[in-house]
Amino acid sequence: MTASESTPTRPEVALDPPLPFSADQGAADLQFTYLHQVHDLSHDCIKIVSPDGALLSMNRNGQQAMQVDDFATCQGADWLSFWQGDAREPMLAAFERARAGQGAHFSGFCPTMKGEPRWWDVTLAPLNDPAEPGVTGPLIVISRDITAEHQVREQLRLLNATLHDEVQRQTEALRRERQSLLQTNEELENIAYSMSHDLLTPVRHMLSFARLARTADADKRERYLGIIERSAEHLSSMIEGVLRFSRAGRHALQWQPVSLAAILRDLQVELTAEHPVTWDVAELPTVTGDAAQLKQALRSLCHNALKFTRARPDARIEVRAEQRGSEWHVTVTDNGVGFEPTYAPKLYRLFQRLHHQSEYPGAGTELATVRRIIDRHGGQVYASGTPGLGATFSFTLPTDPVRTLD
């Protein structure tokens, strides 16, 4: 049947079960009229397609659904060519099944003649002539518009994916919060231990030598006062270090793009004034984080490297960065005194020292502060070294950090 207004040629159609009309005169006309009205009144797109895929006819509602203004322009077109992309293989398989004499079904995307997106649920069946068994006849193709259902399913899929991502994100945030709480508890224990041991040591020195100074002669008194002064300075630097360590955990992170290269250029000018050193700096990336805190972390590592290379006439500091998967790995390597590898896990703890205060002064809080800063950025810290050959201190930063840690 075509879209023309002329009366179509009556096809020989066998119905099973037959229509509920008597075999009286005019039953054949009623039967044909019934089929004709069902064909045109159906809201589905009903087509007749030749065995080689040529489009022979399409009902009126189908033409409206497919946005066909004039069926004559597409009559005889290759219906198989309408289906492309993911829908093509299922369509070809269903078409071959129908040509072989069996009903077939598939679903897929096919735009209208005006290019609007549509998704269809398609049923194909052969229209073989019972009088000519074995001869492949045309196919009836019934396409139901399921665009609305497809869009609802797609929205549900996207919603589920969004919910899954959100659950994953919140789970990761909770995991990091738990890790942060565990680390905070560990740090509090370290601080409590340090307060009762490390901080009390210079206090005891001051008290002891203050008592001795009261009864000592002038020369000894002057020496004792010098010891008291140095102990007070050391105690002051330890307290300042604890305060910096504490602020590093309380400071609200200001997330922004941070150029590590720009930070290091400033640090080179600042730190080289303290001690001559050769810098070997590779290309450094721009990362996401808190600029002030990342500068503090990088400065602490570079200052640490500078301190332990000061006895070297050829002092050298290398700074590198490498992206590995979803993380940046930043390393600071020196050719200084190094350390035994077994001490590596302890170096980022508060007040941990491998050298006497008289050899390499410091409060033992810088590396612990670095660890706290990097932890809050979602990264990790590492250390490796060899006695007499230098050390490498490094940290990681995620390329896409979880900002809910703020």
Side-chain angles (χ1 to χ4, degrees):
M1 181 182 301
T2 68
S4 63
E5 297 300 326
S6 60
T7 303
T9 304
R10 298 182 181 183
E12 296 293 332
V13 180
L15 297 179
D16 185 19
L19 291 172
F21 299 132
S22 68
D24 297 338
Q25 184 177 4
D29 290 337
L30 287 173
Q31 187 181 60
F32 178 76
T33 301
Y34 173 82
L35 291 174
H36 186 262
Q37 289 179 349
V38 168
H39 180 266
D40 271 349
L41 290 175
S42 173
H43 289 288
D44 296 332
C45 182
I46 303 176
K47 298 168 286 296
I48 304 297
V49 179
S50 71
D52 60 357
L55 181 61
L56 302 179
S57 72
M58 183 185 299
N59 65 334
R60 291 189 179 92
N61 286 334
Q63 293 178 41
Q64 291 179 1
M66 282 296 295
Q67 296 185 320
V68 176
D69 293 332
D70 182 2
F71 181 71
T73 61
C74 58
Q75 187 174 20
D78 181 12
W79 178 77
L80 305 181
S81 67
F82 294 171
W83 302 89
Q84 301 296 330
D86 295 339
R88 185 162 180 79
E89 285 191 17
M91 178 275 299
L92 290 175
F95 189 78
E96 289 303 318
R97 184 180 176 87
R99 282 183 44 167
Q102 303 178 48
H105 171 267
F106 74 95
S107 297
F109 171 80
C110 179
T112 67
M113 297 300 291
K114 295 183 179 179
E116 291 191 9
R118 292 285 189 279
W119 281 263
W120 307 91
D121 189 69
V122 184
T123 300
L124 302 91
L127 290 175
N128 296 335
D129 190 343
E132 299 183 22
V135 177
T136 302
L139 308 179
I140 183 170
V141 180
I142 304 175
S143 302
R144 176 161 295 177
D145 187 348
I146 58 168
T147 302
E149 293 91 331
H150 172 85
Q151 291 174 342
V152 169
R153 286 196 300 269
E154 184 65 14
Q155 289 173 356
L156 286 174
R157 186 190 68 79
L158 292 175
L159 178 60
N160 287 334
T162 301
L163 288 174
H164 179 267
D165 291 343
E166 181 64 17
V167 168
Q168 292 292 101
R169 190 178 69 84
Q170 293 293 342
T171 300
E172 177 64 14
L174 288 173
R175 187 191 69 79
R176 291 188 180 278
E177 289 290 351
R178 179 179 179 275
Q179 181 182 5
S180 178
L181 287 173
L182 291 174
Q183 290 171 349
T184 299
N185 287 336
E186 179 187 349
E187 290 163 357
L188 288 173
E189 291 176 2
N190 289 337
I191 289 175
Y193 178 84
S194 300
M195 293 290 287
S196 62
H197 293 78
D198 299 86
L199 291 178
L200 282 178
T201 300
V203 173
R204 292 194 186 101
H205 280 183
M206 287 188 290
L207 289 173
S208 298
F209 285 98
R211 293 189 186 103
L212 291 173
R214 285 176 179 172
T215 58
D217 57 34
D219 292 337
K220 288 184 178 180
R221 185 182 300 113
E222 189 65 26
R223 183 165 64 87
Y224 293 159
L225 290 175
I227 294 174
I228 293 172
E229 184 178 12
R230 289 192 295 272
S231 296
E233 289 174 350
H234 181 52
L235 178 60
S236 176
S237 66
M238 293 177 73
I239 293 173
E240 288 175 358
V242 171
L243 292 176
R244 283 195 298 271
F245 177 83
S246 177
R247 284 194 295 269
R250 297 196 317 268
H251 174 73
L253 299 181
Q254 304 296 318
W255 295 95
Q256 60 181 303
V258 180
S259 171
L260 297 184
I263 288 178
L264 196 66
R265 283 194 296 269
D266 293 341
L267 292 177
Q268 285 178 270
V269 175
E270 174 188 344
L271 298 176
T272 304
E274 299 179 12
H275 182 71
V277 63
T278 299
W279 293 88
D280 182 1
V281 181
E283 183 176 354
L284 299 179
T286 295
V287 299
T288 301
D290 185 286
Q293 291 215 344
L294 290 179
K295 181 174 184 178
Q296 182 179 352
L298 200 55
R299 185 190 188 284
S300 294
L301 294 185
C302 291
H303 182 265
N304 186 73
L306 192 66
K307 179 168 64 175
F308 290 102
T309 58
R310 66 182 185 183
R312 298 277 190 183
D314 58 342
R316 183 181 183 88
I317 298 176
E318 297 180 3
V319 184
R320 298 281 186 270
E322 177 185 0
Q323 186 172 2
R324 301 177 192 171
S326 60
E327 291 183 322
W328 284 106
H329 286 245
V330 181
T331 60
V332 178
T333 302
D334 63 66
N335 62 342
V337 298
F339 59 86
E340 290 288 348
T342 54
Y343 293 122
K346 301 179 179 180
L347 292 177
Y348 286 99
R349 295 180 184 176
L350 199 62
F351 299 129
Q352 291 296 314
R353 300 180 53 84
L354 299 182
H355 305 276
H356 194 271
Q357 174 73 15
S358 60
E359 295 181 289
Y360 297 97
T365 59
E366 279 195 325
L367 293 182
T369 304
V370 170
R371 177 189 171 187
R372 193 163 210 190
I373 290 172
I374 298 304
D375 282 345
R376 298 191 67 210
H377 281 76
Q380 292 181 300
V381 292
Y382 304 92
S384 61
T386 303
L389 298 179
T392 296
F393 290 86
S394 57
F395 61 86
T396 64
L397 290 172
T399 55
D400 186 19
V402 180
R403 304 191 184 192
T404 54
L405 294 176
D406 293 1

